[in-house]
Amino acid sequence: MSRRRTALLTAPAAAAAAALTLVGAATSASAGSDSPTPYRVTPTGLELPAGDVFEVHGHVNVVYTTAAGRASRNVHVEGPGTPYADLAGTSTLTWDRAGLPADACVTWVQVAGYDEHHGEGGQAPVCRTAATPPPVVPPVAPPVTPPPAPPAAPPAPEVTPPTTPAPPAAPTPAPAGEVPGPSPAAEVGNEPVGAPSPAPSPTERSEVLAASDDATPAARAQVRASAQERSEVLAATGARTGVLLAAGALALGLGAGLVTWRRRRAAGA
C-alpha cells in the first residue's frame, strides 16, 4: 500500500517537471525584438528567409521617414478579393507594392511570425534612394570638324568665236573718159615673163587714126613705126602705163607737127 501511494505521488511530480522543462526550453528558444532579423530589409523591399512565405492573416508593419516627415504603412495579407491577396505564398514584398514613397527611408519593420524587429537591434535606416542608380551622363562627343571645302573649279576658258573675213571691196569704177592708173603688178620687173604688152588705149588709137586721115603715106608709116616701136619697147621692158601714155602723146605730137609742116609746104608751093 505504501508503495502504491508513493507511485501515485511521484507521477504528478514527474509530469509537472516535464511541463516546466518544456516551458523553459520554449522560453530559451524564443529571441528578443532586438535580435538580428532572419529576414532582409533592402532598398527595394522585404525578403523572407529561404523556405518562408507570407501566409493568409499575416501582416507586415513598416515605419519610414520622408522629406515630409515620419509615416507608417500596414500590409495585411487576407484571402481573395482583398488588396494584398496576391502576396499569399510569396516571399518578397517590394516597397512599391507596399506603397512607400520614392524617397522613403525605412526605420522599423515588424513581420508576423518573427519576434525580431528591424530597427530595434541597432540597424540603420534603409533608404529607397540607395537602390536608384545614379543618372547616366552621356559622354560629351568631341566637336566634329567639317571636312575642308573642295577647291573651286578653274574658270572655263573664254571661247572667242571665229571671225569671218570681210569680203574684198569691189574696185571703184573709174569715171568715163579717165584712164585708170597702173596697177602694182605692172611695175617694171614684176611682170611675168612672156606677158603680152598692153594694148593702146582707145584714146591713143583714135588720135592716131584722126591724125592719119590727112597725113601722107610717109607720116602714116612713121606713126605706125613709132607705135610698133613703142609696143616692142613695152613688151620688152614692161614699162608702166604712164610711160605708154607719154610715148603715145609724143607720137601724136610728132605726127601732128609733121602734118602741119606738110600742109604749109604744099600751100607755099
Side-chain angles (χ1 to χ4, degrees):
M1 193 65 190
S2 59
R3 289 181 179 178
R4 291 185 65 182
R5 291 184 64 179
T6 303
L8 290 175
L9 292 175
T10 305
L20 291 176
T21 302
L22 293 175
V23 172
T27 303
S28 60
S30 63
S33 61
D34 57 351
S35 300
T37 60
Y39 50 84
R40 296 179 63 238
V41 177
T42 68
T44 58
L46 171 67
E47 299 176 3
L48 298 181
D52 291 356
V53 295
F54 295 108
E55 298 179 357
V56 179
H57 307 305
H59 63 273
V60 176
N61 297 321
V62 181
V63 178
Y64 60 90
T65 59
T66 63
R70 187 171 180 271
S72 62
R73 182 74 62 185
N74 300 321
V75 177
H76 294 274
V77 181
E78 302 296 339
T82 60
Y84 299 102
D86 59 302
L87 295 178
T90 65
S91 61
T92 302
L93 171 65
T94 63
W95 301 136
D96 285 336
R97 185 69 181 85
L100 270 64
D103 63 339
C105 289
V106 178
T107 60
W108 184 82
V109 177
Q110 185 266 328
V111 182
Y114 300 95
D115 293 335
E116 302 86 357
H117 300 164
H118 175 84
E120 293 185 8
Q123 296 91 345
V126 177
C127 298
R128 295 195 60 187
T129 54
T132 304
V136 178
V137 180
V140 179
V144 178
T145 303
E158 297 182 359
V159 178
T160 304
T163 57
T164 304
T172 304
E178 182 178 347
V179 179
S183 60
E187 294 182 359
V188 178
N190 294 336
E191 291 183 357
V193 179
S197 302
S201 62
T203 304
E204 295 174 358
R205 187 180 300 108
S206 61
E207 289 178 356
V208 172
L209 294 177
S212 61
D213 288 341
D214 299 331
T216 62
R220 292 178 181 177
Q222 186 176 358
V223 171
R224 290 194 185 112
S226 178
Q228 182 66 26
E229 182 181 359
R230 184 171 64 253
S231 298
E232 293 176 357
V233 171
L234 291 176
T237 61
R240 297 184 179 181
T241 305
V243 177
L244 294 176
L245 294 176
L250 178 59
L252 291 176
L254 292 176
L258 182 59
V259 171
T260 302
W261 179 74
R262 295 280 186 180
R263 287 181 180 180
R264 288 179 179 178
R265 186 177 179 182

